[in-house]
Amino acid sequence: MGFFTKDVDKDKWKNKYLELLNVQQQTADMSREKEELLCKAIIRLALAASGFNAQLDQYLHSIRHHLEKGIDSSTLKKDLEHFIDTLGGLNADNYKSSSDTGFLFDFLLRQYTDTQQQSALQALRNTNTSDNQEQLFNTLLAIINLDVPSAGLVEGIVNQIDIKIVSDQLLRLLEGIDIPIVFSQQAHAVKQELVAVNTAVPFVMLLDRSISLLLQIKQHNQLERQDIDKFLIHITEQLAELDQTVHGANEVALESELRRSKLDQSLSEQIEELQLTSNNATKLESLKEIINDRLIKITTEIQDYNQKESARRKKTQLQLEELTQKVKEMDAESKELKSKLERASAQAFRDALTGLPNRLAYEDRLHNEYARWKRYQMPLSMIIWDIDLFKQANDEFGHKYGDEVLRTISKKLSEHCRETDFISRFGGEEFTMLLPNTDKAMAVRLANQLRYVIEQTDFNYNGRQLRPITISCGVTEFMDDDTSETAFERADSALYKAKQQGRNQCCSD
Ligand SMILES: Nc1nc2c(ncn2[C@@H]2O[C@H](COP(=O)(O)OP(=O)(O)OP(=O)(O)O)[C@@H](O)[C@H]2O)c(=O)[nH]1
């Protein structure tokens, strides 16, 4: 009778083995869980960092795309390397944007027509390759000599320019650029003064203030850009850190697998030897001894393996907790940044006075509606509105009243058009509307309804009932080979016709 026929010993063996299998299963589950958590965190961070720069976006997209299939360390490493290289390249030429300074040069060249100033400005424009904006601005200020406006300069400006035209241009410039919220009050005040300016001396001071405001806005935008770049670098470092942790986790899992297969191999070798010994055994006592020795050896090996595994599990658990904490922090950071960016971009697209979408938002929407019209050929109409004799109302009752009129008209116009229609404050007392799925006849009908609503609105000032305020508009429908500019020109000409024909009317082309 063989020694292995004893059921108790056989069960002891089986249980040990099953226990080991169980431990192995738990380890594998834990690794998978950890990997999923890491993938999620990296995908979220890549999403949060998207949209800043088209070059970076392609790598962020690739990182997300690869991670959706699970972590492959070598692909992730490659993606991250590309990302970091591109980011480094961007930092080098980030602040050389010639278009930013271009608008300043255009503006100054229009305002400073003295030949000396013109040639100095042109020369600076042609040779300016410096990254140092502060230096550039100082040179510019020296050329136009704004800090100490001499009598000669004042006279020069007064003789050479029409104050109304320049202040209108400055107004348009201020309305055309994104004004960060911190400057909105200052910009509003400058705009109001530009609207009201009528003598040369305050105008020169106002010009000084306008340019200094433009410079401040530019510096502010640069700082904001630097902040975003810092955040991108921070995210990249965190991604790299996570990548390292994944590497570490993979190595630990690999080690554990190796130990496990060594144990398996050792156990099966010992069992084979036992079988061989029992088959060849002739004496029961010596056989018992051999088997006992083997069992002790096997038990020691299993205990040793369990001890190491338990230490490793504790370490993995600790790493997992650290990782979870890190992921939570990164998650909170990216959420905060996302909401900050959303707030900032919502502000950039709104007109502060009326709350309507501004000109920038209009350009954006026009781009989309135009593309849709080109593709699907559904009718698309455009209306340009202008308040009638608004200058009179301003002159008579002051700008505060004028602002109130602007707010009331904005509210009425938005309340009385469809949700799919888009209305914006284009600038000053002008509004634009884009009407998808609306042909010219329908647009003219709607325009006349809106015109009537405004005509019927009571405008009060300090409890005083005032004469009605009216609005006029030009209507057009996109057709044939229209570009957004040609359609706009037609609507603008139709508006001009409406004004010429006596105002408070809607004309179409
Ligand atoms: N209160 C106020 N007035 C503004 C604002 N933006 C532009 N304006 C004024 O709107 C007036 C527009 O005047 P004009 O372009 O001469 O036109 P108008 O008086 O409406 O005459 P028509 O368009 O020919 O009917 C100017 O006096 C600007 O100062 C603003 O934000 N607030």
Side-chain angles (χ1 to χ4, degrees), residues 157 161 163 166-167 170 194 197 199-207:
I157 289 174
I161 56 174
I163 292 171
V166 177
S167 49
L170 273 173
L194 281 171
V197 71
T199 63
V201 177
F203 174 71
V204 173
M205 279 165 9
L206 195 52
L207 184 61

Side-chain angles (χ1 to χ4, degrees), residues 164 168 171-172 175 188 191-192 194-196 351 353-354 386-395 398-406 425 427-430 470 472 495 499-500 503:
K164 175 83 181 85
D168 273 358
L171 250 182
R172 278 185 185 280
E175 265 153 14
H188 187 62
K191 278 194 213 165
Q192 295 238 315
L194 281 171
V195 161
D351 168 53
L353 179 71
T354 60
D386 189 282
I387 305 176
D388 294 329
L389 303 173
F390 190 50
K391 187 172 177 331
Q392 270 183 23
N394 262 331
D395 292 347
H399 277 81
K400 279 214 168 96
Y401 165 71
D403 287 353
E404 194 48 45
V405 169
L406 281 168
R425 185 181 175 201
E429 80 292 11
E430 266 185 15
T470 58
S472 297
L495 169 64
K499 294 277 181 179
Q500 291 299 101
R503 302 184 173 82

Side-chain angles (χ1 to χ4, degrees), residues 59-110:
Y59 297 118
L60 290 169
H61 177 77
S62 157
I63 289 173
R64 290 208 311 270
H65 174 71
H66 286 137
L67 283 176
E68 269 150 20
K69 296 177 195 150
I71 288 182
D72 169 358
S73 300
S74 64
T75 319
L76 184 60
K77 196 160 171 256
K78 251 188 240 154
D79 283 342
L80 283 172
E81 274 166 9
H82 286 315
F83 182 78
I84 291 166
D85 284 351
T86 313
L87 192 64
L90 283 181
N91 285 336
D93 55 25
N94 233 358
Y95 306 108
K96 285 182 190 162
S97 168
S98 58
S99 64
D100 286 354
T101 42
F103 91 84
L104 192 61
F105 275 111
D106 287 344
F107 169 74
L108 292 173
L109 280 165
R110 275 205 303 274

